[in-house]
């Protein structure tokens, strides 16, 4: 284990916050709960302060650029303390911005800062009070300032850590309660500068917008720390640390380089950027589950077998949690993957109509299989980015069902890890205030990573040239498609005419969605077949007269110009109404036979 980690304190390896979910309210970390932080008198020599800081940083994985910035800040504080002996008046502002993705050690490093400032005598207590918007913003006007003041009072002598600070107030929005919090914080930072250090944390872009919500904000945060995402080497080190924390060990035969490769295979970069250390913790849970199944199947109970994680316990790429490599390359008939693909194709064949979609599935299956063989031989191969699609068709023509099967196919062929479907529309992507849409859309897209994002009625995203919120949502989706190019398939869907207009109005869309899939309305014969299948599921049948009536109704519906014509929803509604009429008719009879209960008559169809 030591060959992977610097020490055996994984809890410091990017913070206790990653080790356990935070409670609902703000958390207070008092220095007395941590390891000895030294006298706090500020009387230590520069060498002793340096040694103390290095001791604190030794337990933090990676973050070399952040560590170097903190070392530089520490040196400046030491020099200022020495100058003070000769009358120098130190007015240094120590408030900080921690910028980066979640799970990159911001909270852990904030604790290090708090302990260091106490050790140097800059702060009395050195405790950390963690807050977010819900801890500061009240429900009534004038109460947000009171609530914020209470948290400032609680943090005096230590560090106030404001996580996701950009959520306090969005630039140009009319969030007066959030503005009240920001204005109060700015005033208190100035009034309490010798008793309080404030650290605001969050995404880089959103924090940049946040700083513009108050003219005094930017000048009050002179110390800016950029927290990069973990490297896969860092993740390997954290993985070992987290395993050791649970008294597990990584198989000593597994080299560090191979463990790094397993991190790359198991944690896509876009997933890592959403959680970083949290993504590693999820992987530990996954590996432990697979190891438990392996040990249980073998019936072995030795200490080494129970506590050792082996390479075979790691998930295989494209297989979600469990490996599908049971006998042949992806998509070939001999392996488990081949059998799964066959089952998916059978489901597709069972769908009424959509012959062009079925042909597309077979083409995609062949394309992905060949791309995988090319990839294994080191030849250039297209990934998921070449499979973004436009589904054009009226409602009820099977678009969502096909999209779900598409995800299952991509997972079976190991193009995507999970193959799950995330179905969204405008309301799920567009925010109500300026600055909300980008983060909201990104969170939704990130939830679809490893699977398929299905944007229904996509044309509503950009209703006209003035719809800046919708355009921002669309641009964010396209940016995420580029950033997550091999880990996500996006399908946009809607009425044919409106989708054509959307593609024409946005020049960059057509090149990003190379596959256009038309979903024609069902024919009269197909509608009749759908009706009979639905009835079979309900163990009902049509009488000969009812069948003729059904065929006539379906012909009339299929020939209508209504966009709601040839679709399955019409059939479902028709059968629901028929079931109601049948029930009323049968209730009038003194007794009813099994055949009568199962049979719909022509009069039940309302024609």
């Amino acid at each position: 284990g030591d060959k992977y980690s610097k020490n055996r304190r994984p809890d410091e390896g990017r913070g206790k916050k990653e080790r356990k979910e935070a409670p609902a309210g703000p958390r207070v970390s008092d220095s007395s709960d941590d390891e000895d932080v030294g006298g706090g008198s500020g009387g230590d020599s520069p060498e002793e302060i340096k040694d103390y800081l290095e001791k604190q940083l030794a337990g933090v994985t990676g973050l070399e650029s952040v560590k170097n910035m903190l070392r530089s800040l520490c040196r400046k504080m030491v020099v200022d303390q020495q100058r003070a002996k000769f009358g120098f008046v130190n007015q240094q502002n120590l408030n900080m911005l921690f910028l980066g993705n979640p799970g990159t050690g911001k909270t852990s490093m904030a604790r290090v800062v708090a302990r260091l400032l106490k050790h140097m005598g800059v702060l009395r207590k050195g405790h950390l009070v963690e807050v977010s918007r819900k801890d500061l913003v009240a429900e009534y006007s004038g109460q947000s300032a009171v609530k914020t003041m209470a948290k400032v009072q609680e943090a005096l002598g230590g560090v106030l850590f404001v996580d996701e600070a950009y959520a306090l107030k969005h630039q140009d929005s009319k969030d007066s309660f959030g503005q009240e919090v920001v204005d109060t914080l700015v005033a208190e930072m100035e009034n309490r500068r010798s008793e309080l250090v404030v650290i605001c944390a969050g995404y880089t872009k959103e924090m940049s917008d946040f700083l513009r919500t108050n003219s005094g904000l930017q000048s009050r945060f002179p110390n800016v720390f950029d927290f990069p995402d973990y490297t896969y080497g860092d993740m390997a080190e954290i993985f070992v640390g987290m395993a050791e924390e649970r008294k597990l060990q990584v198989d000593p035969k597994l080299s560090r380089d191979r463990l790094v490769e397993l991190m790359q295979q198991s944690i896509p970069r876009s997933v890592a950027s959403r959680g970083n250390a949290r993504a590693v913790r999820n992987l530990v849970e996954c590996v432990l589950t697979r190891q438990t199944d392996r040990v249980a199947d073998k019936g072995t109970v030795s200490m080494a077998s129970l506590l050792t994680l082996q390479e075979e316990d790691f998930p295989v790429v494209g297989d979600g949690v469990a490996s599908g490599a049971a006998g042949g390359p992806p998509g070939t008939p001999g392996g488990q993957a081949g059998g799964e693909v066959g089952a998916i194709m059978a489901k597709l064949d069972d769908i009424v109509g959509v012959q062009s979609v079925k042909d597309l599935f077979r083409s995609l299956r062949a394309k992905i299989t060949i791309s995988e063989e090319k990839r294994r031989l080191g030849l250039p191969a297209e990934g998921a980015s070449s499979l973004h699609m436009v589904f054009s068709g009226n409602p009820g023509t099977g678009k969502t069902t096909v999209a779900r099967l598409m995800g299952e196919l991509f997972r079976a062929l190991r193009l995507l890890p999970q193959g799950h479907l995330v179905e969204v529309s405008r309301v799920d992507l567009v925010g109500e205030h300026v600055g909300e849409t980008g983060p909201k859309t990104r969170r939704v897209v990130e939830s679809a990573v490893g699977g398929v994002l299905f944007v229904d009625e996509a044309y509503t995203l950009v209703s006209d040239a003035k719809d800046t919120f919708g355009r921002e949502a669309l641009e964010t989706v396209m940016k995420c498609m580029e950033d997550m190019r091999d880990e996500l398939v996006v399908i946009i869907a809607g009425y044919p005419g409106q989708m054509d207009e959307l593609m024409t109005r946005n020049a960059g869309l057509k090149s990003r969605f190379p596959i256009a899939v038309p979903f024609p309305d069902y024919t009269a014969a197909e509608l009749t077949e759908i009706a009979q299948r639905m009835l079979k599921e309900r163990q009902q049948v049509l009488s000969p007269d009812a069948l003729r009536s059904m065929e006539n109704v379906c012909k009339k519906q299929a020939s209508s110009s209504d966009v709601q014509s040839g679709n399955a929803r019409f059939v479902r509604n028709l059968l629901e109404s028929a079931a109601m009429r049948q029930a009323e008719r049968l209730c009038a009879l003194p007794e009813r036979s099994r055949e009568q209960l199962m049979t719909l008559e022509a009069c039940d169809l309302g024609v």
Side-chain angles (χ1 to χ4, degrees):
D2 283 342
K3 62 182 177 179
Y4 301 122
S5 58
K6 304 171 189 171
N7 49 67
R8 292 182 177 269
R9 293 191 57 213
D11 58 304
E12 288 291 333
R14 286 258 177 134
K16 300 174 186 174
K17 187 171 183 182
E18 286 86 0
R19 195 174 68 235
K20 186 176 181 182
E21 288 296 322
R27 295 196 302 156
V28 181
S29 301
D30 192 87
S31 58
S32 61
D33 295 330
D34 297 306
E35 64 182 81
D36 176 38
V37 295
S41 64
D44 288 355
S45 68
E47 290 75 19
E48 289 171 326
I49 293 174
K50 178 184 176 183
D51 290 344
Y52 174 80
L53 176 59
E54 292 305 320
K55 178 183 175 185
Q56 296 293 311
L57 296 179
V60 179
T61 301
L63 291 178
E64 287 308 313
S65 61
V66 175
K67 291 176 181 178
N68 287 334
M69 286 188 66
L70 191 55
R71 290 180 182 115
S72 175
L73 181 61
C74 180
R75 286 193 295 269
K76 186 176 188 312
M77 287 190 294
V78 167
V79 171
D80 285 346
Q81 285 183 338
Q82 292 173 326
R83 287 173 177 151
K85 298 175 184 177
F86 302 100
F88 174 75
V89 179
N90 182 14
Q91 295 182 338
Q92 184 172 6
N93 182 345
L94 296 176
N95 298 319
M96 306 176 189
L97 292 178
F98 283 6
L99 309 180
N101 287 318
T104 47
K106 297 187 289 294
T107 307
S108 183
M109 192 60 76
R111 291 193 186 98
V112 171
V113 169
R115 290 196 289 263
L116 173 67
L117 295 179
K118 178 185 176 182
H119 185 83
M120 296 182 67
V122 176
L123 294 174
R124 272 184 308 112
K125 299 179 181 178
H127 64 300
L128 187 76
V129 176
E130 297 178 55
V131 297
S132 60
R133 178 184 169 96
K134 69 179 185 300
D135 304 304
L136 303 175
V137 176
E139 298 179 3
Y140 305 103
S141 178
Q143 293 303 304
S144 293
V146 175
K147 203 171 179 181
T148 303
M149 288 284 288
K151 289 302 168 190
V152 168
Q153 193 67 34
E154 184 181 348
L156 289 181
V159 173
L160 180 66
F161 183 77
V162 186
D163 200 12
E164 296 183 339
Y166 56 84
L168 291 179
K169 173 70 166 59
H170 297 292
Q171 185 190 12
D172 299 329
S173 77
K174 298 177 181 179
D175 181 8
S176 59
F177 291 1
Q179 187 67 56
E180 191 178 334
V181 171
V182 172
D183 295 344
T184 302
L185 274 178
V186 168
E188 290 304 300
M189 282 190 289
E190 185 64 32
N191 297 337
R192 310 278 192 171
R193 60 185 304 160
S194 63
E195 305 172 82
L196 177 71
V197 169
V198 176
I199 299 177
C200 286
Y203 292 109
T204 303
K205 179 184 181 301
E206 283 75 6
M207 289 299 293
S208 177
D209 294 338
F210 167 69
L211 291 178
R212 290 194 283 270
T213 62
N214 181 292
S215 57
L217 263 180
Q218 196 143 9
S219 63
R220 284 172 173 79
F221 290 97
N223 305 295
V224 181
F225 293 76
D226 288 300
F227 283 69
D229 290 339
Y230 281 125
T231 66
Y232 284 110
D234 292 338
M235 291 182 192
E237 182 179 325
I238 294 165
F239 182 93
V240 173
M242 289 180 173
E244 289 177 347
E245 187 181 35
R246 302 177 71 159
K247 307 302 180 188
L248 300 168
Q249 68 166 350
V250 176
D251 188 349
K253 298 176 185 175
L254 197 61
S255 70
R256 185 185 187 282
D257 288 345
R258 180 56 185 152
L259 184 61
V260 172
E261 289 176 2
L262 291 172
M263 294 297 112
Q264 291 174 311
Q265 293 174 10
S266 304
I267 307 177
R269 171 50 63 187
S270 59
V271 172
S273 68
R274 298 205 313 273
N276 281 295
R278 298 164 205 176
V280 178
R281 181 162 301 285
N282 291 340
L283 178 61
V284 172
E285 294 294 340
C286 172
V287 171
L288 181 56
T289 298
R290 289 169 55 82
Q291 188 256 19
T292 300
D293 291 341
R294 174 176 59 80
V295 171
D297 289 343
K298 290 183 177 178
T300 177
V301 291
S302 68
M303 184 176 76
S305 65
L306 289 171
L307 299 180
T308 301
L309 304 177
Q310 298 181 2
E311 180 170 348
E312 64 189 287
D313 299 325
F314 284 79
V316 174
V317 175
D319 210 35
V321 175
S323 171
T332 59
Q336 179 178 328
E340 191 176 355
V341 171
I344 293 167
M345 299 304 289
K347 285 184 189 177
L348 179 68
D349 287 335
D350 197 44
I351 297 176
V352 175
V354 293
Q355 187 56 49
S356 60
V357 175
K358 294 174 182 177
D359 294 339
L360 173 66
F361 259 71
R362 291 180 176 86
S363 298
L364 290 175
R365 176 184 180 179
K367 177 182 179 181
I368 295 167
T369 301
I370 296 302
S371 291
E372 179 62 26
E373 290 184 12
K374 286 181 177 181
R375 196 174 290 110
R376 287 202 307 273
L377 294 173
L379 298 173
E382 293 180 322
S385 61
S386 64
L387 297 174
H388 301 307
M389 307 179 197
V390 180
F391 282 9
S392 298
N394 289 322
T397 48
K399 297 188 293 297
T400 306
T401 301
V402 169
R404 188 170 288 109
L405 282 176
M406 200 76 79
E408 292 179 18
L409 177 69
F410 293 155
R411 184 187 65 80
L413 293 172
R414 299 182 191 170
L415 182 77
L416 295 173
Q418 285 85 37
H420 61 296
L421 184 76
V422 176
E423 186 180 354
V424 298
S425 60
R426 178 185 171 96
V427 69
D428 302 300
L429 303 175
V430 175
E432 296 180 4
H433 306 290
V434 173
E436 288 183 357
T437 296
K440 184 177 182 179
T441 302
R442 185 160 47 247
R443 284 193 295 270
V444 169
V445 176
E446 287 173 349
S447 72
V449 168
V452 175
L453 178 68
F454 183 76
V455 186
D456 201 10
E457 298 182 339
Y459 54 86
T460 62
L461 284 180
V462 186
S463 55
D464 56 50
K466 297 179 181 179
D467 186 1
T468 56
F469 288 7
R471 187 168 298 281
E472 182 182 2
L474 187 61
E475 290 172 354
T476 302
V477 169
M478 289 193 290
K479 175 69 166 58
C480 290
M481 286 165 56
E482 186 64 31
D483 295 343
M484 309 166 188
R485 55 185 300 115
D486 292 323
E487 301 161 45
L488 175 73
V489 169
V490 177
I491 299 174
I492 56 176
Y495 293 108
Q498 283 89 334
M499 292 304 294
D500 290 343
E501 186 179 344
L502 176 69
M503 302 299 283
T504 303
R505 205 163 47 220
N506 297 270
L509 275 181
K510 191 166 286 189
S511 62
R512 287 179 171 87
F513 291 90
I515 301 175
V517 186
F519 283 74
D521 290 341
Y522 290 113
T523 65
E526 289 168 345
L527 288 174
T528 303
E529 184 179 351
I530 290 169
Q532 291 180 313
R533 290 192 183 192
M534 289 180 178
L535 288 170
K536 185 178 179 180
E537 289 177 1
R538 304 177 187 189
Q539 296 186 39
Q540 287 185 305
V541 295
L542 294 169
S543 70
D545 287 343
L547 176 57
R548 284 190 290 273
S549 295
M550 176 64 75
E551 289 172 344
N552 290 332
V553 169
C554 289
K555 284 179 184 177
K556 182 179 179 181
Q557 186 65 20
S559 62
S560 91
S561 58
D562 183 6
V563 294
Q564 299 291 336
S565 61
N567 68 52
R569 294 174 199 172
F570 161 75
V571 176
R572 185 176 291 107
N573 293 339
L574 177 65
L575 293 181
E576 290 293 341
S577 299
M580 294 285 287
R581 293 190 188 96
Q582 182 210 33
E584 291 177 7
R585 175 174 58 80
L586 293 179
C587 276
L589 301 178
E591 57 183 42
R592 295 157 285 278
S593 68
R594 176 183 176 85
E595 183 179 357
Q596 286 174 318
L597 290 169
M598 293 177 61
T599 305
L600 288 180
E601 301 292 346
C603 60
D604 298 327
L605 296 177
V607 293

